[in-house]
Amino acid sequence: MTSVLWVLFDGGGDRPRNGATPFFTALKPVIDRLASLGSCGVMDPISPGVRPGSDTSHLALFGYDPYRYYTGRGAFEALGAGLELRPGDVAFRTNLATVDARGVVVDRRAGRYVAPEEAREVEAAMAKIGEEVERRFGVAAIYRSTVEHRGVLVLRGAVSHRVSDTDPHKTGEPLRRSQPLDDSKEAKAAAEVVNYISEAFTAYSKDLEANRRRAARGEPLINAVLVRGGGYMPTVEPLRQRYNVKGAAIAGVALIRGVAKAVGMDLYSAEGLGGTKFDKFEEAVKLAVELLKRYDLVFLHVKGTDSASHDGDFRGKVDVIERLDAALRPYEAVLEENYVVVTSDHATPISVREHTGEPVPILLYGPDVVRDDVDKFSELTCWRGALGRIRGMDVMPTIASYLGLSEKFGE
Ligand code: ZN
Ligand code: ZN
């Protein structure tokens, strides 16, 4: 069985500086050999000039129009955190935070470091509040901590995501009350539930063991939950039905795991793949190669290129690319029997430190893919290749066609 390994460097695309980009500079013999044997091109993740978020871009890359399927970050983050969402569930992102006696937010991250045992204690308190919410409002409320101060809140019932944030988004301002953003009774109900949870948590937090310890040490208390970014779980036809492709995703980042799960991919984790620029890829690549035997498509997400870019760290970005390439080296022969896609979900230029809207390089290798005369994977070279300029939404149909899995259009 021939399958596709898809390596995605998050924010990997860049703009030339002194005539070079991180992809151009990095020593990556495996990827460059695949480039020399296959087709290269450039890709607009969404469409020319659109600056993508990683979530909207991944939706497009998986073949789902983000303008139709993107319903806010909350739902994807909640899925990535391991919550089971049903179509129509409303999800928010949350921060544990510190407010003063007047309810003014003094630290949006409660000192940033929230220990795992503190997070468990908060989850237990939220479970109790959730029972009360169910009794009062007939709405299920599920809270889960993700990383440090971050978490997700899911509401299930006659509620809508059309409510404002309680998060003032800066310190020195009072915790807000959530307001319905339209006239529906579902929006009104959701705002009431969010406000109830917000007040109940602050009241409850006085009894948290974590806060007794924090008070004794003079550390910021965990006494508020900031709710933001409401979205709902869309109805998504799985990849398998839509493109006839059985997919697996290996990723460390909750948001990307959530998008992959939403489109019906099986999720995998690998040691070393946490989602930072210091990640190690040996285990992730080993797992990816094993999964090629069982899946049509194995998607490997590399976050470090984006993290290094937001830090303005050129060398760090080059290092991530080089480490990934080195991890591929033992499997060159296997890769050459399969298809390989290498690309990026958007550019995050070192000089800008934010996502930008120019196209990114893409490589498609396969035993029966046209060999063009591009022999290096980079922004400076791939535009000359046989793939030309495509969009993110074109990748999945292309993969499905090479794998012989797509249906013929017409007779
Ligand atoms: Zn991204
Ligand atoms: Zn980014």
Side-chain angles (χ1 to χ4, degrees):
M1 172 171 142
T2 325
S3 302
V4 180
L5 172 67
W6 184 348
V7 177
L8 186 125
F9 289 103
D10 201 306
D14 215 300
R15 293 177 180 174
R17 200 166 60 162
N18 304 322
T21 64
F23 277 139
F24 189 82
T25 304
L27 291 173
K28 47 180 189 353
V30 179
I31 292 173
D32 284 342
R33 179 172 158 78
L34 293 168
S36 74
L37 296 174
S39 293
C40 287
V42 294
M43 177 181 72
D44 293 291
I46 295 176
S47 60
V50 172
R51 296 175 49 217
S54 292
D55 41 15
T56 49
S57 178
H58 276 74
L59 273 174
L61 292 170
F62 294 151
Y64 295 80
D65 181 357
Y67 292 105
R68 172 154 173 222
Y69 290 96
Y70 187 63
T71 51
R73 185 169 176 155
F76 299 110
E77 194 116 340
L79 274 179
L83 289 170
E84 291 297 331
L85 291 196
R86 303 176 192 165
D89 281 359
V90 170
F92 300 90
R93 308 174 67 208
T94 63
N95 269 20
L96 297 175
T98 310
V99 295
D100 68 12
R102 297 167 300 146
V104 171
V105 177
V106 292
D107 189 335
R108 286 188 63 249
R109 301 182 177 94
R112 187 174 269 272
Y113 186 71
V114 173
E117 63 272 18
E118 295 179 316
R120 298 292 87 77
E121 207 194 346
V122 167
E123 284 179 341
M126 284 294 198
K128 291 208 182 90
I129 294 168
E131 286 167 19
E132 193 58 36
V133 167
E134 179 99 56
R135 261 197 301 279
R136 282 174 184 243
F137 303 94
V139 170
I142 306 144
Y143 170 87
R144 179 78 51 88
S145 280
T146 53
V147 183
E148 296 176 340
H149 55 279
R150 299 185 198 91
V152 291
L153 173 67
V154 172
L155 304 183
R156 181 173 297 151
V159 286
S160 122
H161 68 297
R162 298 274 301 141
V163 297
S164 65
D165 299 350
T166 67
D167 185 352
H169 295 277
K170 52 180 153 185
T171 52
E173 292 204 5
L175 186 60
R176 300 230 166 102
R177 285 185 66 75
S178 179
Q179 306 287 345
L181 295 176
D182 60 37
D183 291 333
S184 68
K185 62 180 192 304
E186 288 81 8
K188 190 161 168 273
E192 277 175 17
V193 168
V194 166
N195 289 326
Y196 178 84
I197 291 171
S198 176
E199 283 164 25
F201 182 72
T202 298
Y204 237 101
S205 66
K206 294 186 178 67
D207 298 324
L208 291 179
E209 195 49 47
N211 281 334
R212 270 193 269 280
R213 271 196 309 272
R214 282 172 173 246
R217 292 188 205 138
E219 291 169 2
L221 300 180
I222 301 170
N223 59 7
V225 58
L226 308 181
V227 177
R228 70 178 189 282
Y232 68 95
M233 181 60 203
T235 306
V236 182
E237 185 192 15
L239 210 54
R240 196 135 188 208
Q241 280 164 30
R242 187 165 191 157
Y243 293 103
N244 200 20
V245 168
K246 187 182 175 198
I250 311 172
V253 181
L255 184 64
I256 304 305
R257 292 175 68 84
V259 177
K261 188 164 181 196
V263 303
M265 295 174 107
D266 291 341
L267 296 183
Y268 291 87
S269 307
E271 204 189 313
L273 197 71
T276 77
K277 64 180 176 182
F278 306 110
D279 280 0
K280 296 202 165 56
F281 304 114
E282 285 77 11
E283 290 301 317
V285 169
K286 187 173 163 213
L287 174 63
V289 170
E290 277 168 28
L291 292 175
L292 285 175
K293 295 181 198 131
R294 291 196 275 133
Y295 288 90
D296 302 313
L297 166 66
V298 179
F299 181 84
L300 173 57
H301 180 257
V302 176
K303 176 68 182 170
T305 33
D306 190 56
S307 313
S309 304
H310 286 290
D311 293 346
D313 179 3
F314 187 95
R315 188 62 235 176
K317 190 167 181 177
V318 169
D319 283 346
V320 170
I321 298 161
E322 292 185 345
R323 281 205 302 280
L324 190 280
D325 194 83
L328 292 175
R329 218 158 293 167
Y331 307 103
E332 265 196 286
V334 189
L335 296 183
E336 285 184 23
E337 290 162 9
N338 287 278
Y339 294 93
V340 180
V341 172
V342 180
T343 186
S344 190
D345 59 340
H346 49 79
T348 311
I350 299 285
S351 55
V352 182
R353 297 190 176 199
E354 249 308 335
H355 304 185
T356 57
E358 61 268 25
V360 295
I362 180 165
L363 143 65
L364 170 66
Y365 164 83
D368 56 354
V369 170
V370 168
R371 178 176 183 172
D372 60 23
D373 51 17
V374 177
D375 56 8
K376 190 178 174 88
F377 179 78
S378 82
E379 298 80 348
L380 310 184
T381 45
C382 282
W383 59 271
R384 289 191 276 111
L387 289 178
R389 183 164 181 165
I390 61 171
R391 293 194 183 195
M393 290 271 293
D394 299 330
V395 177
M396 280 308 301
T398 304
I399 287 174
S401 167
Y402 272 110
L403 291 175
L405 297 174
S406 43
E407 278 186 23
K408 185 159 64 175
F409 175 45
E411 192 47 58

